């Protein structure tokens, strides 16, 4: 019987699954493939470097967008193209620049519309009496 080789992924894929900014990760993580078992271990028992990255950043753009409650394209429209630290995100939230207010309002409108459509679709699927 042959031994199965463990399934691995590129560091960029693992970083995306962990929600971290790859260039801020330790060199050992950046340079080596990550096995599924290693990824699961990082998710269930994160080492200190991973905890620090998740808490302080720098955060990848999808995480920045989520924390600011805007879309990734909204970040780009606002001129944010790089990863931000938690302190930079908090400073943006405190300053509330005009672009951020507009993008947050836009995102809220999109969510309201998505909920309306979802509710309408659910209503149409109900059997008629």
């Amino acid at each position: 019987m042959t031994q199965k080789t463990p399934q691995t992924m590129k560091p960029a894929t693992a970083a995306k699954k962990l929600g971290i900014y790859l260039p801020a990760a330790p060199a050992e993580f950046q340079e080596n493939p990550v096995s599924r078992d290693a990824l699961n271990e990082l998710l269930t028992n994160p080492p200190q470097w991973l905890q620090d990255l998740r808490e302080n950043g720098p955060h990848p753009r999808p995480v920045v967008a989520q924390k600011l409650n805007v879309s990734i394209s909204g970040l780009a429209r606002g001129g944010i193209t790089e990863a931000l630290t938690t302190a930079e995100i908090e400073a943006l939230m405190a300053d509330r620049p005009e672009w951020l207010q507009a993008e947050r309002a836009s995102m809220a409108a999109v969510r309201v519309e998505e909920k309306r459509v979802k509710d309408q679709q659910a209503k149409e699927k109900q059997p008629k009496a």
Side-chain angles (χ1 to χ4, degrees):
M1 198 154 65
T2 60
Q3 183 78 15
K4 280 190 169 183
T5 57
Q7 192 176 24
T8 61
M9 62 192 84
K10 294 178 183 176
T13 303
K16 193 173 195 178
K17 289 180 182 284
L18 292 169
I20 62 170
Y21 184 57
L22 181 60
E28 180 183 319
F29 181 85
Q30 292 181 43
E31 297 166 358
N32 299 309
V34 179
S35 71
R36 291 240 180 243
D37 291 339
L39 177 69
N40 289 336
E41 179 63 25
L42 288 170
L43 287 168
T44 57
N45 190 15
Q48 190 60 47
W49 65 264
L50 180 55
Q51 292 175 32
D52 292 344
L53 266 181
R54 285 179 167 169
E55 186 175 325
N56 304 317
H59 303 287
R61 288 186 321 137
V63 174
V64 172
Q66 179 186 15
K67 287 179 180 273
L68 291 174
N69 204 14
V70 298
S71 66
I72 294 172
S73 54
L75 283 179
R77 286 189 292 271
I80 307 293
T81 57
E82 296 297 319
L84 297 179
T85 63
T86 300
E88 292 169 326
I89 293 169
E90 289 170 354
L92 273 173
M93 291 295 286
D95 291 345
R96 296 250 188 211
E98 196 172 306
W99 72 265
L100 180 57
Q101 293 177 39
E103 290 299 333
R104 286 174 64 107
S106 173
M107 184 67 129
V110 166
R111 288 195 175 125
V112 166
E113 178 62 13
E114 285 175 346
K115 183 180 181 330
R116 185 193 67 77
V117 168
K118 184 178 176 184
D119 290 347
Q120 182 180 355
Q121 289 173 344
K123 187 178 179 182
E124 290 171 358
K125 286 184 180 178
Q126 290 179 347
K128 294 179 181 165

